[in-house]
Amino acid sequence: MKTRIVLVGLLAFVTALAAAQEPQNEPDIGFDLALGVVSFVDPETGESITYQQIGLQPDLAIGRFGIGLNLEINYRFTAGDGDQFEVRREDWVPAGNRTILDLYLPKIDYARYGVKGEPLFVQFGTLPSVTLGNGFIVDGYTNGLFRPQRRVFGGVVDLDGPLFGLPYAGFETLIANVAAWDLLAGRVFIRPLAGTEIPILSGLQVGTTLAADRDPWYHLKLDQTPDNPYLSDSLPSERPDRAALVWGADLRLPVVSSALLDLVVFSDVIRQNGRTGGMIGGSGRAAGFLLFGAQARLLDDNVIPSYFNSSYDLRRADRYRIWNDEESLAGGAGWHGELGFALPSNLLVFNTTVSGPFSPTEDNYPELRSSLVLAEGAVPGFAGLSAEGYYEKFNLESFGDLW
């Protein structure tokens, strides 16, 4: 409990700092009304139940600060002596393992200040994509995979020293679910040569990351994905004695930063349950729109690079069994490639990554992930429209397996 109080106090302090840094701008207030039909899976029967939905979505923006609420009312008319109006009880009354915090914190869709990469970035609510450092431990993690069946309220706080005139250090943090405190991660970094005028090397970052999932069975216990193909059928009756812990050290060096080319080279060494993995690589942006990246990797058996990635919440149990040596994953030399494009101001971003071993084995074939992100303001006349889509494919033995 003391740890939670300290961390909540830290987040409150940083949020207050954001407000103090923000100039006094006129507020921009919006309100959206969403009407639709949503299906939910009954965890007891596995049947799909359809509800009508009214979504009340007020939105407030003041300068770089914004907050949005998502007050959804799911209802249906049930047959009986006459049609009866029924509001979905699970949205408002805690039951089973779900608490008041589980239900009501996610009513805040988001609260944010700034954007990723700025000296101060704070975001609470649904986290669309979180990467710490080079992404070799936490890479594109999102807590929104169970929407609309289940919404999760998480938090991210990034603070860099230049905000205070101290360019030598900073940190990045992740709390996947403030109500459960299951997945927690943080990275601290320094720029040891920031006070010098040495070309290129003055921007060198040296960092260390620690990430842990204290309850890998969390979503399984809530019966949110009974038909999920990525999860095994068996569910242990108790939480594992040990958290899925991954830690490591990294280097990050911006080499070129210009309108024609942005290029960063980096390296990571990580430890997972007594085993080691490492990589060296680079990524960047060419001609203002072309995204690219490549890595060479060397992994011990049962080491999973980017352990907490974009599909992690769907694969928690399977990954933990590998982490805990209950199942095997062949190691060795591997590779990772990335290619995509982005419109100016990242209004539209498409990206594809493929990774795998140089010598595939029966339990370790390449994986592919593609993402398409449409930001607000990308479509003229629809200022509040945004969308995200993902496509993932595992165990790629041939090109035909892509489809």
Side-chain angles (χ1 to χ4, degrees):
M1 180 62 70
K2 289 183 179 179
T3 302
R4 294 193 183 191
I5 293 174
V6 170
L7 287 175
V8 169
L10 173 62
L11 299 183
F13 166 75
V14 174
T15 304
L17 178 61
Q21 294 288 326
E22 182 61 43
Q24 298 300 315
N25 296 331
E26 291 295 327
D28 182 8
I29 302 175
F31 186 88
D32 292 332
L33 176 64
L35 302 175
V37 177
V38 181
S39 295
F40 295 89
V41 176
D42 188 323
E44 296 182 359
T45 65
E47 297 180 354
S48 180
I49 303 175
T50 300
Y51 289 83
Q52 304 294 319
Q53 183 182 90
I54 298 177
L56 308 177
Q57 299 169 337
D59 188 281
L60 172 65
I62 304 176
R64 305 191 65 75
F65 174 80
I67 185 170
L69 304 181
N70 194 354
L71 307 177
E72 296 176 346
I73 301 175
N74 299 298
Y75 66 93
R76 63 175 179 159
F77 292 94
T78 59
D81 296 333
D83 287 342
Q84 299 180 2
F85 179 78
E86 175 188 303
V87 176
R88 187 171 183 268
R89 180 182 177 87
E90 291 88 343
D91 296 332
W92 304 96
V93 179
N97 291 317
R98 303 187 69 182
T99 67
I100 291 179
L101 293 180
D102 285 320
L103 286 181
Y104 285 93
L105 278 179
K107 306 295 183 189
I108 303 175
D109 192 37
Y110 74 89
R112 60 168 174 76
Y113 177 87
V115 297
K116 184 74 174 180
E118 293 184 342
L120 179 61
F121 171 57
V122 181
Q123 180 168 332
F124 298 104
T126 300
L127 307 175
S129 180
V130 180
T131 297
L132 302 188
N134 303 321
F136 205 50
I137 295 178
V138 180
D139 182 22
Y141 172 80
T142 175
N143 63 1
L145 296 181
F146 297 100
R147 294 168 55 133
Q149 180 87 358
R150 172 171 168 75
R151 295 181 181 272
V152 177
F153 184 90
V156 169
V157 177
D158 296 350
L159 185 63
D160 203 348
L163 184 67
F164 304 101
L166 300 173
Y168 297 99
F171 65 81
E172 304 169 280
T173 63
L174 163 66
I175 303 174
N177 188 344
V178 173
W181 292 71
D182 48 350
L183 171 55
L184 308 173
R187 175 179 181 258
V188 178
F189 62 89
I190 62 172
R191 298 185 184 91
L193 303 176
T196 72
E197 297 182 358
I198 303 175
I200 300 179
L201 291 180
S202 60
L204 174 67
Q205 275 190 23
V206 180
T208 181
T209 300
L210 175 66
D213 187 350
R214 300 172 56 247
D215 190 359
W217 315 133
Y218 176 76
H219 288 291
L220 277 176
K221 291 190 298 186
L222 296 179
D223 290 323
Q224 294 301 312
T225 56
D227 299 321
N228 193 318
Y230 302 133
L231 298 177
S232 301
D233 294 332
S234 60
L235 174 62
S237 58
E238 297 182 357
R239 188 169 77 184
D241 294 333
R242 297 190 299 164
L245 179 68
V246 185
W247 63 275
D250 63 80
L251 298 174
R252 186 173 180 84
L253 179 64
V255 177
V256 181
S257 181
S258 69
L260 292 178
L261 178 65
D262 276 320
L263 176 62
V264 178
V265 296
F266 43 73
S267 181
D268 273 75
V269 175
I270 60 173
R271 294 281 287 175
Q272 293 181 13
N273 197 18
R275 298 174 295 271
T276 303
M279 70 86 171
I280 184 169
S283 65
R285 186 167 179 161
F289 74 95
L290 181 63
L291 308 177
F292 62 90
Q295 297 176 17
R297 298 172 167 178
L298 186 61
L299 311 170
D300 283 347
D301 290 345
N302 283 18
V303 170
I304 303 175
S306 301
Y307 190 99
F308 306 100
N309 66 0
S310 58
S311 61
Y312 176 70
D313 278 349
L314 296 177
R315 308 174 73 190
R316 283 190 178 197
D318 289 339
R319 293 208 157 192
Y320 183 81
R321 291 186 177 98
I322 294 173
W323 182 92
N324 203 37
D325 297 329
E326 299 170 40
E327 297 181 5
S328 62
L329 178 68
W335 54 272
H336 171 92
E338 174 183 343
L339 190 64
F341 67 86
L343 296 183
S345 301
N346 292 333
L347 292 178
L348 177 67
V349 179
F350 175 78
N351 204 25
T352 293
T353 62
V354 185
S355 59
F358 284 111
S359 300
T361 61
E362 183 177 351
D363 61 353
N364 191 5
Y365 283 101
E367 300 182 356
L368 174 144
R369 180 181 188 273
S370 293
S371 64
L372 179 65
V373 179
L374 183 70
E376 292 185 10
V379 181
F382 297 88
L385 176 64
S386 64
E388 295 186 30
Y390 302 94
Y391 176 79
E392 291 185 303
K393 195 72 174 181
F394 309 104
N395 298 320
L396 299 174
E397 299 183 39
S398 66
F399 284 106
D401 293 332
L402 292 173
W403 319 111

Coordinates of all heavy atoms in Angstrom, one line a residue, residues 32-68:
D32 N -19.3 14.5 -28.1 CA -19.7 13.5 -29.1 C -20.7 12.6 -28.5 O -20.7 12.2 -27.4 CB -18.5 12.7 -29.6 CG -17.5 13.6 -30.4 OD1 -18.0 14.6 -31.0 OD2 -16.3 13.2 -30.5
L33 N -21.7 12.2 -29.4 CA -22.7 11.2 -29.0 C -22.6 10.1 -30.0 O -22.6 10.2 -31.2 CB -24.1 11.8 -29.1 CG -25.3 10.9 -28.9 CD1 -25.2 10.4 -27.5 CD2 -26.6 11.6 -29.2
A34 N -22.3 8.9 -29.5 CA -22.1 7.7 -30.3 C -23.3 6.7 -30.1 O -23.7 6.4 -29.0 CB -20.8 7.0 -30.0
L35 N -23.8 6.2 -31.2 CA -24.9 5.3 -31.2 C -24.4 4.0 -32.0 O -23.8 4.1 -33.0 CB -26.2 5.8 -31.8 CG -26.7 7.1 -31.3 CD1 -27.9 7.6 -32.1 CD2 -27.2 6.9 -29.8
G36 N -24.7 2.8 -31.4 CA -24.3 1.6 -32.1 C -24.8 0.4 -31.5 O -25.7 0.4 -30.6
V37 N -24.3 -0.7 -31.9 CA -24.6 -2.0 -31.4 C -23.3 -2.8 -31.1 O -22.4 -2.8 -31.8 CB -25.4 -2.9 -32.5 CG1 -25.7 -4.3 -32.0 CG2 -26.7 -2.2 -32.9
V38 N -23.3 -3.3 -29.9 CA -22.1 -4.0 -29.4 C -22.5 -5.4 -28.8 O -23.5 -5.6 -28.2 CB -21.5 -3.2 -28.2 CG1 -20.2 -3.9 -27.7 CG2 -21.2 -1.8 -28.7
S39 N -21.6 -6.4 -29.1 CA -21.8 -7.7 -28.6 C -20.8 -8.0 -27.5 O -19.6 -7.7 -27.6 CB -21.7 -8.7 -29.7 OG -22.7 -8.6 -30.7
F40 N -21.3 -8.7 -26.4 CA -20.4 -9.1 -25.3 C -20.5 -10.6 -25.2 O -21.6 -11.2 -25.4 CB -20.8 -8.4 -24.0 CG -20.7 -6.9 -24.0 CD1 -21.7 -6.1 -24.5 CD2 -19.5 -6.3 -23.6 CE1 -21.5 -4.7 -24.5 CE2 -19.3 -5.0 -23.6 CZ -20.3 -4.1 -24.1
V41 N -19.4 -11.2 -24.7 CA -19.4 -12.6 -24.5 C -19.8 -12.9 -23.0 O -19.1 -12.4 -22.1 CB -18.1 -13.2 -24.9 CG1 -18.0 -14.7 -24.5 CG2 -17.8 -13.0 -26.3
D42 N -20.7 -13.8 -22.8 CA -21.1 -14.2 -21.5 C -20.0 -15.2 -21.0 O -19.8 -16.2 -21.6 CB -22.4 -14.9 -21.5 CG -22.9 -15.2 -20.1 OD1 -22.1 -15.5 -19.2 OD2 -24.2 -15.1 -19.8
P43 N -19.2 -14.8 -19.9 CA -18.1 -15.7 -19.5 C -18.6 -17.0 -19.0 O -17.8 -17.9 -18.9 CB -17.5 -14.8 -18.4 CG -18.5 -13.9 -17.9 CD -19.4 -13.6 -19.1
E44 N -19.8 -17.2 -18.6 CA -20.3 -18.4 -18.0 C -20.7 -19.4 -19.1 O -20.5 -20.6 -19.1 CB -21.5 -18.2 -17.1 CG -21.1 -17.4 -15.8 CD -22.2 -17.3 -14.8 OE1 -23.3 -17.7 -15.2 OE2 -22.0 -16.7 -13.8
T45 N -21.4 -18.8 -20.2 CA -22.0 -19.7 -21.2 C -21.1 -19.6 -22.5 O -21.2 -20.5 -23.4 CB -23.4 -19.3 -21.5 OG1 -23.4 -18.0 -22.1 CG2 -24.3 -19.3 -20.3
G46 N -20.4 -18.5 -22.7 CA -19.6 -18.3 -23.9 C -20.5 -17.8 -25.0 O -20.0 -17.6 -26.2
E47 N -21.7 -17.5 -24.8 CA -22.6 -17.0 -25.8 C -22.4 -15.5 -26.0 O -22.0 -14.8 -25.1 CB -24.1 -17.3 -25.4 CG -24.4 -18.8 -25.3 CD -25.9 -19.0 -25.0 OE1 -26.6 -18.0 -24.7 OE2 -26.3 -20.2 -25.0
S48 N -22.7 -15.0 -27.2 CA -22.6 -13.6 -27.5 C -24.0 -12.9 -27.3 O -25.0 -13.4 -27.8 CB -22.2 -13.4 -28.9 OG -22.1 -12.1 -29.3
I49 N -24.0 -11.9 -26.5 CA -25.2 -11.1 -26.2 C -25.1 -9.7 -26.8 O -24.1 -9.0 -26.6 CB -25.4 -11.0 -24.7 CG1 -25.5 -12.4 -24.0 CG2 -26.7 -10.2 -24.4 CD1 -25.6 -12.4 -22.5
T50 N -26.1 -9.3 -27.6 CA -26.1 -8.0 -28.3 C -26.8 -7.0 -27.5 O -27.9 -7.2 -27.0 CB -26.7 -8.2 -29.7 OG1 -25.9 -9.2 -30.4 CG2 -26.7 -6.9 -30.4
Y51 N -26.2 -5.8 -27.4 CA -26.8 -4.6 -26.7 C -26.8 -3.4 -27.7 O -25.9 -3.3 -28.5 CB -26.0 -4.3 -25.5 CG -26.1 -5.2 -24.3 CD1 -25.3 -6.4 -24.3 CD2 -27.0 -5.0 -23.3 CE1 -25.4 -7.3 -23.2 CE2 -27.1 -5.9 -22.2 CZ -26.3 -7.0 -22.2 OH -26.4 -7.9 -21.1
Q52 N -27.8 -2.5 -27.5 CA -27.7 -1.2 -28.1 C -26.8 -0.4 -27.2 O -26.7 -0.6 -26.0 CB -29.1 -0.6 -28.2 CG -30.1 -1.4 -28.9 CD -29.8 -1.5 -30.4 OE1 -29.4 -0.6 -31.0 NE2 -30.0 -2.7 -30.9
Q53 N -26.1 0.6 -27.8 CA -25.2 1.4 -27.0 C -25.4 2.9 -27.3 O -25.5 3.3 -28.5 CB -23.7 1.0 -27.4 CG -22.7 1.8 -26.6 CD -21.3 1.4 -27.0 OE1 -20.7 2.0 -27.8 NE2 -20.7 0.4 -26.3
I54 N -25.4 3.7 -26.2 CA -25.3 5.1 -26.3 C -24.0 5.5 -25.6 O -23.7 5.2 -24.5 CB -26.5 5.8 -25.6 CG1 -27.8 5.4 -26.3 CG2 -26.3 7.3 -25.6 CD1 -29.0 6.0 -25.6
G55 N -23.1 6.2 -26.4 CA -21.9 6.7 -25.8 C -21.8 8.2 -25.7 O -22.0 8.9 -26.7
L56 N -21.6 8.7 -24.5 CA -21.5 10.1 -24.2 C -20.0 10.4 -24.0 O -19.3 9.8 -23.1 CB -22.3 10.5 -22.9 CG -23.7 10.0 -22.9 CD1 -24.3 10.4 -21.6 CD2 -24.5 10.7 -24.0
Q57 N -19.4 11.2 -24.9 CA -18.0 11.4 -25.0 C -17.6 12.9 -24.9 O -17.3 13.5 -25.9 CB -17.4 10.7 -26.2 CG -17.7 9.2 -26.3 CD -17.4 8.6 -27.6 OE1 -17.4 9.3 -28.6 NE2 -17.2 7.3 -27.7
P58 N -17.7 13.5 -23.7 CA -17.2 14.9 -23.6 C -15.7 15.0 -23.7 O -15.0 14.0 -23.3 CB -17.7 15.3 -22.2 CG -17.9 14.0 -21.4 CD -18.2 13.0 -22.4
D59 N -15.2 16.1 -24.2 CA -13.8 16.2 -24.4 C -13.4 17.7 -24.1 O -14.0 18.6 -24.5 CB -13.4 15.9 -25.9 CG -12.0 15.9 -26.2 OD1 -11.4 16.9 -26.3 OD2 -11.4 14.8 -26.2
L60 N -12.2 17.8 -23.4 CA -11.8 19.2 -23.0 C -10.3 19.2 -23.3 O -9.5 18.4 -22.9 CB -12.0 19.4 -21.5 CG -11.3 20.7 -21.0 CD1 -12.0 21.9 -21.6 CD2 -11.5 20.7 -19.4
A61 N -9.9 20.3 -24.1 CA -8.5 20.5 -24.4 C -8.1 21.9 -24.0 O -8.8 22.9 -24.4 CB -8.2 20.3 -25.9
I62 N -7.0 22.1 -23.3 CA -6.5 23.4 -22.9 C -5.0 23.4 -23.3 O -4.2 22.8 -22.5 CB -6.7 23.7 -21.5 CG1 -8.1 23.6 -21.1 CG2 -6.1 25.1 -21.1 CD1 -8.4 23.9 -19.6
G63 N -4.6 24.0 -24.4 CA -3.2 23.9 -24.8 C -2.8 22.5 -25.1 O -3.4 21.8 -25.9
R64 N -1.7 22.1 -24.4 CA -1.2 20.7 -24.6 C -1.8 19.7 -23.6 O -1.5 18.5 -23.7 CB 0.3 20.7 -24.4 CG 1.0 21.7 -25.3 CD 2.5 21.5 -25.3 NE 2.9 20.2 -25.9 CZ 2.8 20.0 -27.2 NH1 2.4 20.9 -28.1 NH2 3.2 18.8 -27.7
F65 N -2.8 20.1 -22.8 CA -3.5 19.3 -21.9 C -4.8 18.9 -22.5 O -5.5 19.8 -23.0 CB -3.6 19.9 -20.5 CG -4.5 19.1 -19.6 CD1 -3.9 18.1 -18.9 CD2 -5.8 19.4 -19.4 CE1 -4.7 17.3 -18.0 CE2 -6.6 18.7 -18.5 CZ -6.0 17.6 -17.8
G66 N -5.2 17.6 -22.3 CA -6.5 17.2 -22.8 C -7.1 16.1 -21.9 O -6.3 15.3 -21.3
I67 N -8.4 16.0 -21.8 CA -9.0 14.9 -21.1 C -10.3 14.6 -21.8 O -11.0 15.4 -22.3 CB -9.3 15.3 -19.6 CG1 -9.9 14.2 -18.9 CG2 -10.2 16.6 -19.6 CD1 -10.0 14.4 -17.4
G68 N -10.6 13.3 -21.9 CA -11.8 12.8 -22.5 C -12.5 11.7 -21.7 O -11.8 10.9 -21.1

